[in-house]
């Protein structure tokens, strides 16, 4: 059983806010949306949709939001489904499930490589990209002796 299935989205969101990662990742996502102006985007490990409020729906017409936790995806849908017309959500275990067939312009993979098998994940994500697609991967440099930034969550 994947431990991400047992972490409530409120704990995840509060942790990310407390360590400042939500704001940082949202800003980085926004910068790349502005730089690449993608029509079709994939967000593996999207959690509850941090940064989706930065999407310009006049430019980006379709978004594949993928996560292993169905509760996170439900929170994402509750928050963004009415404001992002091309939003699609997929409950996926990246280590074992097949990804939707797509040819996206941009994949934003933030803080997910630490939690999946990169040898499986990277080829799957690469297959999502169209011939001119861009992939941005964000990883966190770990502090000595700590895997996750300490918070009250």
């Amino acid at each position: 059983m994947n431990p991400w299935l047992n972490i409530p989205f409120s704990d995840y969101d509060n942790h990310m806010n407390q360590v400042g990662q939500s704001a940082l990742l949202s800003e980085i996502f926004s910068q790349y949306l502005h730089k690449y102006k993608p029509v079709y985007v994939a967000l593996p490990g999207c959690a509850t949709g941090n940064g989706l409020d930065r999407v310009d729906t006049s430019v980006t017409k379709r978004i594949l939001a993928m996560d292993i936790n169905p509760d996170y995806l439900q929170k994402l849908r509750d928050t963004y489904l009415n404001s992002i017309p091309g939003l699609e959500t997929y409950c996926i275990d990246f280590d074992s499930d097949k990804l939707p067939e797509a040819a996206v312009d941009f994949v934003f993979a933030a803080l997910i490589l630490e939690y999946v098998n990169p040898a499986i994940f990277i080829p799957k994500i690469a297959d999502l990209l169209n011939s001119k697609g861009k992939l941005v991967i964000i990883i966190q440099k770990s502090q000595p002796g700590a895997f996750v930034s300490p918070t009250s969550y």
Side-chain angles (χ1 to χ4, degrees), residues 109-128:
L111 303 182
I112 188 169
L113 279 184
E114 299 90 339
Y115 304 104
V116 297
N117 181 336
I120 295 171
F121 178 79
I122 297 290
K124 285 183 178 183
I125 292 302
D127 285 345
L128 284 178

Side-chain angles (χ1 to χ4, degrees), residues 5-145:
L5 297 173
N6 297 319
I7 300 171
F9 68 78
S10 58
D11 285 359
Y12 172 79
D13 284 343
N14 288 326
H15 166 81
M16 294 293 285
N17 286 327
Q18 200 172 79
V19 297
Q21 288 179 329
S22 290
L24 178 62
L25 292 175
S26 180
E27 180 58 30
I28 294 169
F29 181 52
S30 177
Q31 288 173 6
Y32 281 104
L33 287 173
H34 181 74
K35 179 178 181 176
Y36 296 136
K37 299 182 181 2
V39 173
Y40 194 1
V41 173
L43 295 172
C46 63
T48 60
N50 178 44
L52 286 177
D53 58 318
R54 310 290 287 273
V55 171
D56 180 348
T57 58
S58 69
V59 175
T60 301
K61 304 294 184 187
R62 191 171 174 201
I63 298 174
L64 266 67
M66 300 171 279
D67 202 274
I68 194 168
N69 189 312
D71 294 334
Y72 291 19
L73 292 170
Q74 185 59 54
K75 172 66 172 163
L76 182 149
R77 284 189 295 272
D78 291 345
T79 305
Y80 297 105
L81 200 56
N82 293 327
S83 60
I84 302 177
L87 181 62
E88 301 171 26
T89 59
Y90 296 90
C91 192
I92 291 176
D93 181 331
F94 293 101
D95 288 339
S96 59
D97 295 339
K98 184 177 178 182
L99 273 54
E101 290 188 27
V104 303
D105 304 309
F106 175 52
V107 174
F108 188 73
L111 303 182
I112 188 169
L113 279 184
E114 299 90 339
Y115 304 104
V116 297
N117 181 336
I120 295 171
F121 178 79
I122 297 290
K124 285 183 178 183
I125 292 302
D127 285 345
L128 284 178
L129 290 167
N130 65 33
S131 62
K132 295 185 180 186
K134 309 288 190 228
L135 169 62
V136 171
I137 297 174
I138 307 292
I139 59 172
Q140 176 178 332
K141 183 177 179 182
S142 296
Q143 299 298 322

